[in-house]
Amino acid sequence: LRRRAETVAERLFSSPDLGRFFDPARYEKAWNEIGITNGEGRLMRIDRLVDCGDALWVLDYKSSYPDTGRIGEYRDQVSEYCRAVSAVFPSRKVRGALVFSDASLVEVDA
């Protein structure tokens, strides 16, 4: 299990498409495992929030692949996270994305 996690982490960190989220020289600030509440007060946990200057990115890691049958559920989850972040930072553009274990990035409507 540990080796698999290391392999996935290496894949994510070395992906050209994901570099802007993991290379500190390419973003302004980043946070992991951020607790935030939605409009009803329910606590949610964002896997990674990255300030790329032009936008705040809400990232949610998934161990599956983009062809999962749960893609709709995952999109809804990230959209809810984005709405919560937008409520805290109303003047900022907020974008969301799913990051799958194969290093694919699926952007989600915020």
Side-chain angles (χ1 to χ4, degrees), residues 51-83:
D51 185 346
C52 291
D54 64 331
L56 292 168
W57 279 85
V58 174
L59 303 180
D60 195 60
Y61 306 131
K62 298 299 180 192
S63 60
S64 59
Y65 299 95
D67 62 354
T68 177
R70 298 180 67 188
I71 191 76
E73 175 186 337
Y74 293 161
R75 285 178 180 278
D76 291 345
Q77 178 185 18
V78 172
S79 291
E80 184 176 13
Y81 293 169
C82 289
R83 286 190 299 275

Short mmCIF file of all heavy atoms in Angstrom, two decimals, residues 51-83:
data_model
loop_
_atom_site.label_atom_id
_atom_site.label_comp_id
_atom_site.label_asym_id
_atom_site.label_seq_id
_atom_site.Cartn_x
_atom_site.Cartn_y
_atom_site.Cartn_z
N ASP A 51 -3.67 28.83 -4.22
CA ASP A 51 -3.81 30.19 -4.73
C ASP A 51 -2.82 30.36 -5.87
O ASP A 51 -1.61 30.46 -5.64
CB ASP A 51 -3.54 31.19 -3.61
CG ASP A 51 -3.78 32.64 -4.03
OD1 ASP A 51 -3.90 32.90 -5.25
OD2 ASP A 51 -3.84 33.51 -3.15
N CYS A 52 -3.34 30.35 -7.09
CA CYS A 52 -2.49 30.50 -8.27
C CYS A 52 -2.41 31.95 -8.74
O CYS A 52 -1.97 32.23 -9.84
CB CYS A 52 -3.01 29.61 -9.40
SG CYS A 52 -2.77 27.85 -9.08
N GLY A 53 -2.86 32.88 -7.91
CA GLY A 53 -2.83 34.29 -8.26
C GLY A 53 -4.09 34.72 -8.97
O GLY A 53 -4.85 35.54 -8.48
N ASP A 54 -4.35 34.14 -10.14
CA ASP A 54 -5.53 34.50 -10.91
C ASP A 54 -6.79 33.81 -10.39
O ASP A 54 -7.90 34.24 -10.67
CB ASP A 54 -5.34 34.17 -12.38
CG ASP A 54 -5.16 32.68 -12.65
OD1 ASP A 54 -4.65 31.98 -11.76
OD2 ASP A 54 -5.53 32.23 -13.74
N ALA A 55 -6.62 32.74 -9.62
CA ALA A 55 -7.77 31.99 -9.09
C ALA A 55 -7.33 31.13 -7.90
O ALA A 55 -6.16 30.78 -7.77
CB ALA A 55 -8.36 31.10 -10.18
N LEU A 56 -8.31 30.81 -7.08
CA LEU A 56 -8.14 29.80 -6.04
C LEU A 56 -8.63 28.49 -6.63
O LEU A 56 -9.73 28.43 -7.18
CB LEU A 56 -8.97 30.16 -4.80
CG LEU A 56 -8.54 31.39 -4.01
CD1 LEU A 56 -9.61 31.77 -3.00
CD2 LEU A 56 -7.22 31.13 -3.32
N TRP A 57 -7.81 27.45 -6.52
CA TRP A 57 -8.17 26.14 -7.05
C TRP A 57 -8.49 25.19 -5.92
O TRP A 57 -7.68 25.03 -4.99
CB TRP A 57 -7.02 25.57 -7.87
CG TRP A 57 -6.96 26.11 -9.26
CD1 TRP A 57 -6.36 27.26 -9.67
CD2 TRP A 57 -7.53 25.52 -10.42
NE1 TRP A 57 -6.51 27.42 -11.02
CE2 TRP A 57 -7.21 26.36 -11.50
CE3 TRP A 57 -8.26 24.35 -10.66
CZ2 TRP A 57 -7.62 26.07 -12.80
CZ3 TRP A 57 -8.66 24.07 -11.95
CH2 TRP A 57 -8.34 24.92 -13.01
N VAL A 58 -9.65 24.57 -6.00
CA VAL A 58 -10.06 23.53 -5.07
C VAL A 58 -9.77 22.19 -5.73
O VAL A 58 -10.34 21.89 -6.79
CB VAL A 58 -11.57 23.64 -4.75
CG1 VAL A 58 -12.04 22.48 -3.91
CG2 VAL A 58 -11.87 24.97 -4.07
N LEU A 59 -8.88 21.41 -5.13
CA LEU A 59 -8.52 20.11 -5.70
C LEU A 59 -9.02 18.99 -4.80
O LEU A 59 -8.90 19.07 -3.57
CB LEU A 59 -7.01 19.98 -5.84
CG LEU A 59 -6.31 21.04 -6.68
CD1 LEU A 59 -4.81 20.78 -6.70
CD2 LEU A 59 -6.87 21.10 -8.08
N ASP A 60 -9.58 17.97 -5.41
CA ASP A 60 -10.03 16.80 -4.67
C ASP A 60 -9.38 15.58 -5.30
O ASP A 60 -9.53 15.33 -6.50
CB ASP A 60 -11.56 16.69 -4.72
CG ASP A 60 -12.08 15.71 -3.69
OD1 ASP A 60 -11.85 15.94 -2.50
OD2 ASP A 60 -12.71 14.72 -4.09
N TYR A 61 -8.63 14.84 -4.50
CA TYR A 61 -7.92 13.65 -4.99
C TYR A 61 -8.85 12.45 -5.01
O TYR A 61 -9.60 12.23 -4.06
CB TYR A 61 -6.72 13.32 -4.09
CG TYR A 61 -5.76 14.45 -3.87
CD1 TYR A 61 -5.33 14.76 -2.60
CD2 TYR A 61 -5.25 15.19 -4.93
CE1 TYR A 61 -4.42 15.78 -2.38
CE2 TYR A 61 -4.36 16.21 -4.72
CZ TYR A 61 -3.94 16.51 -3.44
OH TYR A 61 -3.05 17.52 -3.22
N LYS A 62 -8.73 11.66 -6.05
CA LYS A 62 -9.50 10.43 -6.17
C LYS A 62 -8.57 9.29 -6.55
O LYS A 62 -7.72 9.44 -7.42
CB LYS A 62 -10.61 10.56 -7.22
CG LYS A 62 -11.65 11.62 -6.90
CD LYS A 62 -12.37 11.34 -5.60
CE LYS A 62 -13.40 12.40 -5.26
NZ LYS A 62 -13.88 12.28 -3.89
N SER A 63 -8.74 8.16 -5.89
CA SER A 63 -7.88 7.00 -6.17
C SER A 63 -8.34 6.23 -7.40
O SER A 63 -7.65 5.34 -7.86
CB SER A 63 -7.83 6.08 -4.95
OG SER A 63 -9.13 5.61 -4.64
N SER A 64 -9.48 6.60 -7.93
CA SER A 64 -10.00 5.93 -9.12
C SER A 64 -9.52 6.65 -10.37
O SER A 64 -8.55 7.39 -10.33
CB SER A 64 -11.54 5.89 -9.06
OG SER A 64 -12.05 7.21 -8.97
N TYR A 65 -10.23 6.44 -11.47
CA TYR A 65 -9.88 7.03 -12.76
C TYR A 65 -11.06 7.84 -13.28
O TYR A 65 -12.20 7.67 -12.82
CB TYR A 65 -9.51 5.93 -13.76
CG TYR A 65 -8.31 5.14 -13.27
CD1 TYR A 65 -8.47 3.96 -12.57
CD2 TYR A 65 -7.02 5.62 -13.49
CE1 TYR A 65 -7.36 3.25 -12.10
CE2 TYR A 65 -5.91 4.93 -13.03
CZ TYR A 65 -6.09 3.75 -12.33
OH TYR A 65 -5.01 3.06 -11.87
N PRO A 66 -10.83 8.73 -14.24
CA PRO A 66 -11.90 9.61 -14.72
C PRO A 66 -13.12 8.89 -15.29
O PRO A 66 -14.20 9.48 -15.35
CB PRO A 66 -11.22 10.44 -15.82
CG PRO A 66 -9.78 10.34 -15.56
CD PRO A 66 -9.56 9.02 -14.87
N ASP A 67 -12.99 7.64 -15.68
CA ASP A 67 -14.14 6.91 -16.24
C ASP A 67 -15.00 6.26 -15.16
O ASP A 67 -15.89 5.47 -15.47
CB ASP A 67 -13.68 5.87 -17.25
CG ASP A 67 -12.78 4.80 -16.64
OD1 ASP A 67 -12.42 4.91 -15.45
OD2 ASP A 67 -12.42 3.85 -17.37
N THR A 68 -14.79 6.63 -13.91
CA THR A 68 -15.57 6.07 -12.81
C THR A 68 -17.06 6.37 -12.96
O THR A 68 -17.44 7.43 -13.46
CB THR A 68 -15.07 6.61 -11.45
OG1 THR A 68 -15.89 6.09 -10.41
CG2 THR A 68 -15.13 8.13 -11.39
N GLY A 69 -17.85 5.47 -12.50
CA GLY A 69 -19.30 5.68 -12.50
C GLY A 69 -19.75 6.71 -11.48
O GLY A 69 -20.90 7.12 -11.48
N ARG A 70 -18.84 7.13 -10.63
CA ARG A 70 -19.16 8.10 -9.58
C ARG A 70 -18.78 9.53 -9.96
O ARG A 70 -18.82 10.42 -9.11
CB ARG A 70 -18.46 7.69 -8.28
CG ARG A 70 -18.93 6.32 -7.79
CD ARG A 70 -18.24 5.92 -6.51
NE ARG A 70 -18.66 6.81 -5.43
CZ ARG A 70 -18.11 6.81 -4.22
NH1 ARG A 70 -17.14 5.97 -3.93
NH2 ARG A 70 -18.53 7.63 -3.29
N ILE A 71 -18.45 9.75 -11.22
CA ILE A 71 -17.96 11.06 -11.64
C ILE A 71 -18.96 12.18 -11.32
O ILE A 71 -18.57 13.26 -10.90
CB ILE A 71 -17.55 11.08 -13.13
CG1 ILE A 71 -16.79 12.36 -13.48
CG2 ILE A 71 -18.75 10.89 -14.04
CD1 ILE A 71 -15.38 12.40 -13.01
N GLY A 72 -20.23 11.93 -11.48
CA GLY A 72 -21.25 12.95 -11.16
C GLY A 72 -21.24 13.32 -9.69
O GLY A 72 -21.30 14.50 -9.33
N GLU A 73 -21.15 12.31 -8.85
CA GLU A 73 -21.08 12.53 -7.40
C GLU A 73 -19.82 13.33 -7.04
O GLU A 73 -19.87 14.26 -6.22
CB GLU A 73 -21.06 11.17 -6.71
CG GLU A 73 -20.87 11.20 -5.23
CD GLU A 73 -20.70 9.79 -4.66
OE1 GLU A 73 -21.15 8.80 -5.28
OE2 GLU A 73 -20.10 9.69 -3.58
N TYR A 74 -18.71 12.99 -7.66
CA TYR A 74 -17.46 13.68 -7.39
C TYR A 74 -17.52 15.14 -7.84
O TYR A 74 -17.05 16.05 -7.16
CB TYR A 74 -16.29 12.99 -8.09
CG TYR A 74 -15.95 11.62 -7.56
CD1 TYR A 74 -15.21 10.73 -8.34
CD2 TYR A 74 -16.36 11.18 -6.30
CE1 TYR A 74 -14.87 9.47 -7.87
CE2 TYR A 74 -16.04 9.92 -5.83
CZ TYR A 74 -15.29 9.07 -6.62
OH TYR A 74 -14.96 7.83 -6.16
N ARG A 75 -18.12 15.38 -9.01
CA ARG A 75 -18.28 16.76 -9.51
C ARG A 75 -19.13 17.59 -8.55
O ARG A 75 -18.81 18.74 -8.25
CB ARG A 75 -18.91 16.76 -10.90
CG ARG A 75 -17.99 16.34 -12.00
CD ARG A 75 -18.75 16.34 -13.35
NE ARG A 75 -17.92 15.96 -14.44
CZ ARG A 75 -17.09 16.77 -15.10
NH1 ARG A 75 -17.00 18.03 -14.75
NH2 ARG A 75 -16.35 16.32 -16.10
N ASP A 76 -20.22 17.00 -8.08
CA ASP A 76 -21.10 17.71 -7.14
C ASP A 76 -20.35 18.07 -5.86
O ASP A 76 -20.52 19.16 -5.31
CB ASP A 76 -22.33 16.85 -6.79
CG ASP A 76 -23.29 16.68 -7.95
OD1 ASP A 76 -23.17 17.43 -8.95
OD2 ASP A 76 -24.15 15.79 -7.88
N GLN A 77 -19.53 17.15 -5.39
CA GLN A 77 -18.76 17.37 -4.17
C GLN A 77 -17.82 18.57 -4.34
O GLN A 77 -17.79 19.47 -3.49
CB GLN A 77 -17.95 16.11 -3.84
CG GLN A 77 -17.06 16.22 -2.64
CD GLN A 77 -16.20 14.98 -2.44
OE1 GLN A 77 -16.00 14.18 -3.36
NE2 GLN A 77 -15.67 14.81 -1.25
N VAL A 78 -17.08 18.60 -5.43
CA VAL A 78 -16.14 19.70 -5.65
C VAL A 78 -16.88 21.01 -5.89
O VAL A 78 -16.44 22.07 -5.42
CB VAL A 78 -15.17 19.37 -6.81
CG1 VAL A 78 -14.32 20.57 -7.18
CG2 VAL A 78 -14.29 18.19 -6.43
N SER A 79 -18.00 20.96 -6.57
CA SER A 79 -18.80 22.18 -6.77
C SER A 79 -19.24 22.75 -5.44
O SER A 79 -19.21 23.97 -5.24
CB SER A 79 -20.02 21.89 -7.64
OG SER A 79 -19.64 21.61 -8.97
N GLU A 80 -19.64 21.89 -4.50
CA GLU A 80 -20.04 22.35 -3.18
C GLU A 80 -18.85 22.98 -2.45
O GLU A 80 -18.97 24.02 -1.81
CB GLU A 80 -20.62 21.20 -2.35
CG GLU A 80 -21.14 21.64 -1.01
CD GLU A 80 -21.81 20.54 -0.21
OE1 GLU A 80 -21.68 19.35 -0.57
OE2 GLU A 80 -22.46 20.88 0.79
N TYR A 81 -17.68 22.36 -2.56
CA TYR A 81 -16.47 22.94 -1.96
C TYR A 81 -16.19 24.32 -2.55
O TYR A 81 -15.86 25.27 -1.83
CB TYR A 81 -15.26 22.05 -2.21
CG TYR A 81 -15.25 20.71 -1.53
CD1 TYR A 81 -14.30 19.76 -1.89
CD2 TYR A 81 -16.16 20.36 -0.54
CE1 TYR A 81 -14.25 18.51 -1.28
CE2 TYR A 81 -16.12 19.11 0.07
CZ TYR A 81 -15.16 18.20 -0.30
OH TYR A 81 -15.11 16.96 0.30
N CYS A 82 -16.33 24.44 -3.87
CA CYS A 82 -16.08 25.72 -4.53
C CYS A 82 -17.05 26.80 -4.05
O CYS A 82 -16.64 27.95 -3.83
CB CYS A 82 -16.17 25.57 -6.04
SG CYS A 82 -14.81 24.64 -6.77
N ARG A 83 -18.30 26.45 -3.89
CA ARG A 83 -19.28 27.43 -3.38
C ARG A 83 -18.90 27.90 -1.99
O ARG A 83 -19.01 29.08 -1.66
CB ARG A 83 -20.69 26.83 -3.39
CG ARG A 83 -21.29 26.72 -4.78
CD ARG A 83 -22.77 26.36 -4.75
NE ARG A 83 -23.04 25.08 -4.13
CZ ARG A 83 -23.00 23.90 -4.75
NH1 ARG A 83 -22.66 23.85 -6.03
NH2 ARG A 83 -23.29 22.78 -4.10
#
